[in-house]
Amino acid sequence: MSAQIIDGKAIAATIRGEIAAEVEAMTAQYGKVPGLAAVLVGERRDSQTYVRMKKKACAEVGITSFGHDLPEDISQEELLKVVRDLNANPEVNGILVQLPLPDHIDDEEVLGGVDLEKDVDGFHPINIGRLSMKRRDPLFVPCTPKGCIELLDRSGIEIEGKRAVVLGRSNIVGLPVAMLLLHRNATLTICHSRTQDLPGVVREADILIAAVGRAEMVRGDWVKPGVSVIDVGINAVDDPTRERGYRLVGDVAFDEVKEVAAAITPVPGGVGPMTIAMLLRNTTDSAKRTLGME
Ligand code: GUN
């Protein structure tokens, strides 16, 4: 039997609708709208695309966005000054520094320079530290991991007591999503490039989060029947039949795994739209907190 396809695009649209209503209520009650500052350093095409999509999504729900496109060779001090100015700007409720930053920049110092109350990406060392401990609520949780959990919740997939396997241990997805699963009382395994018998470990999963960045690595015979799969990968593979010469695939061989799984996210249209929806969520929550609305 074919799996339930988890429609991230539709779920994200529902969430954007919820946020738009909250922004409208905020404007009616306080005459304010949430503001997001997007800091982009350099000319990476992928980062430019992500930032453009984030700003467009802000506009659709009524959030004001402030763009800061900075040159690749900006100094550490100059970049820190931009962040400090945004910290001091009352129109800005959230600050997003698009990653990765150029090699000469110390990204830990930059992320640590963002005001905790405006850290809508959840990458401030204190927010990450709180996420990594019991009973220490971070002010914000990173957007892609939060989106993965939201997809499971809104699809009625129970997490508590389940075996969760996370493929990948990046700072942006693998590690924080693992912490969120643990907080929700999953039994957790984190796999990486040195894991022995990877298919054997993946086969134990009731919930599989794939975030390694390797096209279609997880095959149909790697998964247990009835598994729920969240595929975070976005990989371009050559495809001469497409006008642009490539297509996007996940870390999971979708056509094979959907025949075994109970539920699976597609790529594109799964996790991707959720990352942006969670950024809007965090920015709106930040504005509500500032106004004392929650
Ligand atoms: N680069 C890849 N993913 C992300 C993200 O969620 N936030 C930021 N700021 N940069 C990223």
Side-chain angles (χ1 to χ4, degrees), residues 28 37 39 64 68 71 76 82 99 107 117 188 221 286 291:
V39 178
T64 304
H68 292 266
Q76 179 84 11
V82 171
L99 302 175
D107 55 5
E117 307 273 337
L188 177 70
D221 61 357
S286 175
L291 293 168

PDB file of all heavy atoms in Angstrom, residues 28 37 39 64 68 71 76 82 99 107 117 188 221 286 291:
ATOM      1  N   ALA A  28      -4.834  45.699  14.466  1.00  0.00           N
ATOM      2  CA  ALA A  28      -6.087  46.285  14.951  1.00  0.00           C
ATOM      3  C   ALA A  28      -5.940  46.740  16.399  1.00  0.00           C
ATOM      4  O   ALA A  28      -6.392  47.820  16.772  1.00  0.00           O
ATOM      5  CB  ALA A  28      -7.216  45.264  14.819  1.00  0.00           C
ATOM      6  N   ALA A  37      14.363  41.381   9.936  1.00  0.00           N
ATOM      7  CA  ALA A  37      15.541  41.832   9.187  1.00  0.00           C
ATOM      8  C   ALA A  37      16.285  40.613   8.651  1.00  0.00           C
ATOM      9  O   ALA A  37      16.586  39.689   9.405  1.00  0.00           O
ATOM     10  CB  ALA A  37      16.461  42.637  10.099  1.00  0.00           C
ATOM     11  N   VAL A  39      19.663  39.420   6.899  1.00  0.00           N
ATOM     12  CA  VAL A  39      21.040  39.837   6.614  1.00  0.00           C
ATOM     13  C   VAL A  39      21.682  38.803   5.699  1.00  0.00           C
ATOM     14  O   VAL A  39      21.777  37.620   6.042  1.00  0.00           O
ATOM     15  CB  VAL A  39      21.849  39.956   7.929  1.00  0.00           C
ATOM     16  CG1 VAL A  39      23.295  40.352   7.627  1.00  0.00           C
ATOM     17  CG2 VAL A  39      21.193  40.959   8.873  1.00  0.00           C
ATOM     18  N   THR A  64       6.588  43.101   7.970  1.00  0.00           N
ATOM     19  CA  THR A  64       7.520  43.976   7.250  1.00  0.00           C
ATOM     20  C   THR A  64       8.894  43.330   7.229  1.00  0.00           C
ATOM     21  O   THR A  64       9.349  42.818   8.254  1.00  0.00           O
ATOM     22  CB  THR A  64       7.638  45.337   7.984  1.00  0.00           C
ATOM     23  OG1 THR A  64       6.335  45.885   8.099  1.00  0.00           O
ATOM     24  CG2 THR A  64       8.527  46.304   7.224  1.00  0.00           C
ATOM     25  N   HIS A  68      19.192  43.484   4.232  1.00  0.00           N
ATOM     26  CA  HIS A  68      20.554  44.021   4.371  1.00  0.00           C
ATOM     27  C   HIS A  68      21.478  43.144   3.556  1.00  0.00           C
ATOM     28  O   HIS A  68      21.929  42.100   4.018  1.00  0.00           O
ATOM     29  CB  HIS A  68      20.973  44.038   5.846  1.00  0.00           C
ATOM     30  CG  HIS A  68      20.189  45.013   6.641  1.00  0.00           C
ATOM     31  ND1 HIS A  68      20.616  46.297   6.882  1.00  0.00           N
ATOM     32  CD2 HIS A  68      18.967  44.929   7.207  1.00  0.00           C
ATOM     33  CE1 HIS A  68      19.691  46.945   7.572  1.00  0.00           C
ATOM     34  NE2 HIS A  68      18.691  46.134   7.789  1.00  0.00           N
ATOM     35  N   PRO A  71      28.417  43.129   1.265  1.00  0.00           N
ATOM     36  CA  PRO A  71      29.439  42.559   0.376  1.00  0.00           C
ATOM     37  C   PRO A  71      30.175  41.376   1.012  1.00  0.00           C
ATOM     38  O   PRO A  71      30.318  41.305   2.235  1.00  0.00           O
ATOM     39  CB  PRO A  71      30.405  43.737   0.153  1.00  0.00           C
ATOM     40  CG  PRO A  71      30.175  44.655   1.299  1.00  0.00           C
ATOM     41  CD  PRO A  71      28.745  44.477   1.724  1.00  0.00           C
ATOM     42  N   GLN A  76      34.452  41.492  10.026  1.00  0.00           N
ATOM     43  CA  GLN A  76      33.726  40.982  11.195  1.00  0.00           C
ATOM     44  C   GLN A  76      33.090  42.140  11.969  1.00  0.00           C
ATOM     45  O   GLN A  76      31.925  42.081  12.346  1.00  0.00           O
ATOM     46  CB  GLN A  76      34.741  40.233  12.073  1.00  0.00           C
ATOM     47  CG  GLN A  76      34.199  39.641  13.338  1.00  0.00           C
ATOM     48  CD  GLN A  76      33.565  38.269  13.132  1.00  0.00           C
ATOM     49  OE1 GLN A  76      33.700  37.646  12.080  1.00  0.00           O
ATOM     50  NE2 GLN A  76      32.863  37.806  14.124  1.00  0.00           N
ATOM     51  N   VAL A  82      26.213  45.968  12.019  1.00  0.00           N
ATOM     52  CA  VAL A  82      24.880  45.844  11.412  1.00  0.00           C
ATOM     53  C   VAL A  82      23.948  45.119  12.375  1.00  0.00           C
ATOM     54  O   VAL A  82      22.804  45.536  12.610  1.00  0.00           O
ATOM     55  CB  VAL A  82      24.971  45.081  10.061  1.00  0.00           C
ATOM     56  CG1 VAL A  82      23.572  44.746   9.529  1.00  0.00           C
ATOM     57  CG2 VAL A  82      25.760  45.885   9.034  1.00  0.00           C
ATOM     58  N   LEU A  99      22.872  31.763   6.584  1.00  0.00           N
ATOM     59  CA  LEU A  99      24.080  30.932   6.641  1.00  0.00           C
ATOM     60  C   LEU A  99      24.222  30.138   5.338  1.00  0.00           C
ATOM     61  O   LEU A  99      23.221  29.876   4.689  1.00  0.00           O
ATOM     62  CB  LEU A  99      23.991  29.964   7.826  1.00  0.00           C
ATOM     63  CG  LEU A  99      23.810  30.625   9.205  1.00  0.00           C
ATOM     64  CD1 LEU A  99      23.614  29.560  10.276  1.00  0.00           C
ATOM     65  CD2 LEU A  99      25.000  31.502   9.541  1.00  0.00           C
ATOM     66  N   ASP A 107      31.298  32.884  12.550  1.00  0.00           N
ATOM     67  CA  ASP A 107      29.829  32.901  12.602  1.00  0.00           C
ATOM     68  C   ASP A 107      29.301  32.739  14.027  1.00  0.00           C
ATOM     69  O   ASP A 107      28.244  33.261  14.368  1.00  0.00           O
ATOM     70  CB  ASP A 107      29.180  31.911  11.626  1.00  0.00           C
ATOM     71  CG  ASP A 107      29.653  30.498  11.789  1.00  0.00           C
ATOM     72  OD1 ASP A 107      30.416  30.226  12.722  1.00  0.00           O
ATOM     73  OD2 ASP A 107      29.238  29.652  10.963  1.00  0.00           O
ATOM     74  N   GLU A 117      16.240  38.039  22.320  1.00  0.00           N
ATOM     75  CA  GLU A 117      14.803  38.236  22.118  1.00  0.00           C
ATOM     76  C   GLU A 117      14.440  38.352  20.639  1.00  0.00           C
ATOM     77  O   GLU A 117      13.263  38.362  20.296  1.00  0.00           O
ATOM     78  CB  GLU A 117      14.353  39.542  22.811  1.00  0.00           C
ATOM     79  CG  GLU A 117      14.734  39.658  24.261  1.00  0.00           C
ATOM     80  CD  GLU A 117      13.688  39.025  25.170  1.00  0.00           C
ATOM     81  OE1 GLU A 117      12.544  38.904  24.725  1.00  0.00           O
ATOM     82  OE2 GLU A 117      14.049  38.657  26.302  1.00  0.00           O
ATOM     83  N   LEU A 188      15.901   7.846  20.751  1.00  0.00           N
ATOM     84  CA  LEU A 188      16.594   8.519  19.655  1.00  0.00           C
ATOM     85  C   LEU A 188      17.911   7.862  19.253  1.00  0.00           C
ATOM     86  O   LEU A 188      18.702   7.483  20.106  1.00  0.00           O
ATOM     87  CB  LEU A 188      16.889   9.957  20.120  1.00  0.00           C
ATOM     88  CG  LEU A 188      17.671  10.836  19.178  1.00  0.00           C
ATOM     89  CD1 LEU A 188      16.828  11.197  17.973  1.00  0.00           C
ATOM     90  CD2 LEU A 188      18.117  12.095  19.914  1.00  0.00           C
ATOM     91  N   ASP A 221      14.449  -0.724   0.642  1.00  0.00           N
ATOM     92  CA  ASP A 221      14.716  -1.862   1.533  1.00  0.00           C
ATOM     93  C   ASP A 221      15.499  -1.441   2.790  1.00  0.00           C
ATOM     94  O   ASP A 221      15.956  -2.280   3.555  1.00  0.00           O
ATOM     95  CB  ASP A 221      15.453  -2.987   0.790  1.00  0.00           C
ATOM     96  CG  ASP A 221      16.793  -2.542   0.250  1.00  0.00           C
ATOM     97  OD1 ASP A 221      17.150  -1.350   0.398  1.00  0.00           O
ATOM     98  OD2 ASP A 221      17.514  -3.384  -0.337  1.00  0.00           O
ATOM     99  N   SER A 286       7.698  36.680  18.443  1.00  0.00           N
ATOM    100  CA  SER A 286       8.603  37.667  19.026  1.00  0.00           C
ATOM    101  C   SER A 286       7.884  39.012  19.193  1.00  0.00           C
ATOM    102  O   SER A 286       7.960  39.653  20.256  1.00  0.00           O
ATOM    103  CB  SER A 286       9.832  37.821  18.133  1.00  0.00           C
ATOM    104  OG  SER A 286      10.661  38.834  18.614  1.00  0.00           O
ATOM    105  N   LEU A 291       4.949  42.978  22.708  1.00  0.00           N
ATOM    106  CA  LEU A 291       3.728  43.750  22.998  1.00  0.00           C
ATOM    107  C   LEU A 291       2.995  43.234  24.232  1.00  0.00           C
ATOM    108  O   LEU A 291       1.963  43.773  24.624  1.00  0.00           O
ATOM    109  CB  LEU A 291       2.781  43.702  21.795  1.00  0.00           C
ATOM    110  CG  LEU A 291       3.282  44.417  20.532  1.00  0.00           C
ATOM    111  CD1 LEU A 291       2.419  44.048  19.335  1.00  0.00           C
ATOM    112  CD2 LEU A 291       3.283  45.924  20.735  1.00  0.00           C
TER     113      LEU A 291
END
